[in-house]
Amino acid sequence: MNLSQLIDGLEYKFIGKNIDIDIKGIEYNSNNVKKGYIFVCITGLGVDRHLYIEDAIKNGAVAIIVEKDVNIHNAVILRVENARIALACISKIFYEKSDEKLKLIGVTGTNGKTTITYMIQSILKSYGKKIGLIGTIANYVNNEKINSTSTTPESLELHRLFKNMVDNDVEYCIMEVSSHSLALNRVYGLYFFVSIFTNLTQDHLDFHKTFENYFDAKCKLFTMSRYCVINLDDSYGNKILNKSTGFNITYAINKQADFVAEDIKNGTFYLKDQKYEGVFEVGIPGIYNVYNSLSVIAALNTINIPMNNIKYGLKNVFVPGRFVIISKNYNLNFNIILDFAHTPDSLKKLIMTAKEYANGKVVTVIGCGGDRDKTKRPVMGKISTELSDYVFLTSDNPRSEEPLDIINDIKSGIVNNNYEIVIDRKEAIKRAILYAKKDDIVLIAGKGHEDYQVLKQGKVPFDESIIIDDIIKGELL
């Protein structure tokens, strides 16, 4: 593609002799640059790509997009105000505006994003639709699984995925839209057919610094969506309602809304709206999954999916790492549940749901991630020990931090004496399983679908389902 076509509509200052050059590809990582590429110097998250311009040129870059003055003479230079916006704009053009050929369904909020996207995927599949999914666990183009490195990829990877989807006749793309992606302009220039707001609770303050910044980032999605599905029971629902520029559709359990769930019992609820009324069954337990289901029903109502398909999809949905009852595979007299819960709100909801089902004690294994929001650690310590009968404090993904330092932060919020510290996560899981008695529930929270642990030296294999299998076979069978 000619450079002049690629930068059409972009505001820039041109430094060079010739804009009439052919561009073979786009990159923001100098290691991936090839001959004829344009290199975009995005900044943020601890990396300044301006430092790697010479490496990019050595690898074949013929044009560079920068935000700063640079002393480079052997490539075309285009200076822009915001390189991330520029990356989104040129990626969209390079990949033939493939996003505009898809119906984009966006989901944002602190908790529930992954579950909702899998619910929608389940339902659309039952309706015979070809779909793509972008999110925390993995990305999918129809049934092809593509590994995910972040909840919402950089704009370059997004538009590459969109092109792949269009080439494979995908009609709907369901996306988890993270606050990071909104703040960092990864989704700049996209227009969503329908977007969902789940809830807003404490998370990611290491990045956003203030809760107001976190809220403002989430709000962006509802200025770039045709239909906006909003949870009115969340304290931020009305605030987002007021900032939305789309057609608002509301859902709730405790307030008047367009879609309201009533008579909630053991995973079923009664729905009545202007067009339909009936009983729904949700395949994953917990009141929060009733909320998730309501948002899905409201969103799919905008694209006229029949209620029978919605019912079937909700009843049969499976989400990796979300309330997965591992003990179903074994002849045990207690349950073991894996869940991704890693925020105060999601942990509280997980334990409360377990308490509804437990005839015995609830035993919880938790840690907190390193190099992430430290303020939530004591809160999670308090929640876990107040709601659980017994707690094992352990390591999660410590990254560059010392595991015991993280655990001591968690411990600082604890008043009760119903816990013990077991730094090694594998040992903590073993201790929890051996501690459990008849009718107890062992909750192993924080990692869910992840099959790795992130330590100082990097990722190491750590699949909790395999670890549990080894423990049970070695100790209990």
Side-chain angles (χ1 to χ4, degrees):
M1 179 176 288
N2 192 278
L3 178 61
S4 60
Q5 294 175 275
L6 194 63
I7 60 176
D8 184 42
L10 202 64
E11 290 187 12
Y12 61 88
K13 179 183 177 183
F14 177 65
I15 305 168
K17 296 179 181 179
N18 184 15
I19 203 167
D20 185 24
I21 55 174
D22 192 39
I23 299 297
K24 303 291 187 185
I26 304 167
E27 260 303 336
Y28 57 86
N29 184 331
S30 61
N31 293 322
N32 298 332
V33 169
K34 297 178 182 178
K35 186 177 180 180
Y37 274 39
I38 185 169
F39 178 63
V40 185
C41 299
I42 61 174
T43 58
L45 300 181
V47 181
D48 183 351
R49 306 290 180 179
H50 293 83
L51 301 174
Y52 302 94
I53 291 175
E54 291 291 355
D55 292 337
I57 291 172
K58 286 177 185 176
N59 288 337
V62 293
I64 314 290
I65 291 181
V66 300
E67 293 177 341
K68 307 173 183 178
D69 288 330
V70 293
N71 188 25
I72 300 294
H73 303 287
N74 50 346
V76 169
I77 304 294
L78 295 100
R79 178 164 178 175
V80 298
E81 186 70 27
N82 188 312
R84 286 185 175 276
I85 289 177
L87 178 65
C89 292
I90 67 172
S91 298
K92 182 184 179 92
I93 293 173
F94 190 82
Y95 289 105
E96 302 172 8
K97 299 183 179 180
S98 295
D99 59 298
E100 297 179 5
K101 302 168 188 174
L102 299 163
K103 278 192 171 71
L104 300 182
I105 301 172
V107 187
T108 200
T110 307
N111 301 310
K113 296 187 295 295
T114 301
T115 298
I116 289 169
T117 57
Y118 272 75
M119 284 177 167
I120 295 174
Q121 181 191 49
S122 175
I123 292 162
L124 291 180
K125 273 188 174 181
S126 79
Y127 195 50
K129 295 293 184 181
K130 291 188 174 183
I131 52 177
L133 186 148
I134 298 172
T136 303
I137 296 175
N139 301 322
Y140 286 89
V141 178
N142 290 321
N143 293 319
E144 180 191 357
K145 183 179 179 181
I146 302 166
N147 287 337
S148 172
T149 56
S150 58
T151 299
T152 314
E154 286 287 355
S155 57
L156 175 62
E157 283 78 20
L158 268 181
H159 286 281
R160 190 180 292 145
L161 274 168
F162 294 149
K163 179 67 165 64
N164 189 351
M165 290 176 190
V166 169
D167 289 346
N168 285 279
D169 301 319
V170 166
E171 184 179 354
Y172 295 95
C173 173
I174 315 153
M175 286 179 59
E176 292 184 50
V177 186
S178 69
S179 57
H180 286 68
S181 71
L182 289 157
L184 294 171
N185 291 303
R186 291 176 184 171
V187 292
Y188 180 89
L190 301 185
Y191 189 70
F192 292 81
F193 184 81
V194 58
S195 291
I196 295 169
F197 168 70
T198 63
N199 49 64
L200 201 67
T201 60
Q202 183 177 346
D203 201 15
H204 303 308
L205 296 189
D206 55 307
F207 173 76
H208 294 288
K209 306 306 178 188
T210 69
F211 203 89
E212 194 62 29
N213 290 343
Y214 184 35
F215 169 70
D216 288 342
K218 295 290 189 188
C219 282
K220 283 186 179 181
L221 180 61
F222 302 97
T223 64
M224 46 200 293
S225 304
R226 180 176 178 181
Y227 294 100
C228 303
V229 176
I230 298 167
N231 177 9
L232 284 189
D233 280 347
D234 187 85
S235 59
Y236 284 86
N238 273 313
K239 293 181 180 179
I240 289 185
L241 203 64
N242 293 331
K243 290 180 177 286
S244 161
T245 58
F247 182 83
N248 294 321
I249 303 166
T250 58
Y251 66 99
I253 293 173
N254 301 316
K255 293 181 180 177
Q256 285 191 335
D258 297 315
F259 292 82
V260 178
E262 300 174 348
D263 195 22
I264 301 165
K265 294 178 183 176
N266 300 323
T268 67
F269 65 92
Y270 178 78
L271 171 75
K272 184 175 183 180
D273 64 43
Q274 294 175 350
K275 298 180 181 178
Y276 179 88
E277 60 181 284
V279 176
F280 288 75
E281 183 179 347
V282 191
I284 315 171
I287 189 73
Y288 51 97
N289 284 312
V290 175
Y291 278 106
N292 292 339
S293 300
L294 279 175
S295 75
V296 168
I297 295 166
L300 293 184
N301 189 60
T302 67
I303 52 177
N304 300 313
I305 302 300
M307 281 296 181
N308 284 339
N309 292 93
I310 295 176
K311 277 189 171 186
Y312 179 86
L314 290 177
K315 182 178 179 179
N316 294 284
V317 68
F318 170 76
V319 186
R322 271 64 175 177
F323 213 92
V324 178
I325 305 174
I326 294 291
S327 46
K328 283 181 178 178
N329 303 323
Y330 309 96
N331 185 25
L332 302 176
N333 61 5
F334 62 92
N335 280 315
I336 304 168
I337 294 170
L338 286 182
D339 197 276
F340 188 56
H342 64 287
T343 68
D345 184 62
S346 61
L347 181 65
K348 180 179 179 180
K349 288 173 178 174
L350 172 66
I351 300 173
M352 292 297 289
T353 299
K355 286 169 77 73
E356 290 178 22
Y357 286 85
N359 292 318
K361 294 180 178 179
V362 173
V363 181
T364 302
V365 178
I366 71 150
C368 287
D371 303 331
R372 298 294 186 268
D373 183 4
K374 293 185 179 183
T375 64
K376 71 181 182 182
R377 294 173 185 174
V379 182
M380 292 180 69
K382 185 173 187 290
I383 288 169
S384 63
T385 51
E386 285 186 349
L387 297 180
S388 306
D389 294 285
Y390 202 75
V391 176
F392 289 87
L393 302 181
T394 189
S395 182
D396 188 292
N397 291 322
R399 299 182 178 89
S400 71
E401 290 191 66
E402 290 295 330
L404 186 56
D405 291 342
I406 299 171
I407 291 170
N408 283 332
D409 285 343
I410 300 170
K411 180 183 170 184
S412 68
I414 295 176
V415 176
N416 298 345
N417 196 32
N418 59 335
Y419 71 94
E420 60 184 272
I421 294 171
V422 183
I423 297 175
D424 182 84
R425 189 172 179 93
K426 183 176 180 179
E427 181 63 22
I429 292 170
K430 179 180 177 180
R431 294 276 289 276
I433 290 172
L434 294 178
Y435 180 92
K437 301 293 189 294
K438 185 176 182 295
D439 295 329
D440 288 352
I441 290 181
V442 177
L443 294 177
I444 303 171
K447 293 183 63 60
H449 63 277
E450 293 178 352
D451 58 2
Y452 58 84
Q453 196 172 21
V454 188
L455 310 176
K456 282 184 179 179
Q457 62 267 36
K459 282 186 179 181
V460 297
F462 197 92
D463 188 322
E464 291 185 337
S465 61
I466 294 173
I467 288 166
I468 292 167
D469 184 70
D470 290 342
I471 292 168
I472 292 173
K473 288 178 179 176
E475 301 285 345
L476 301 177
L477 299 182

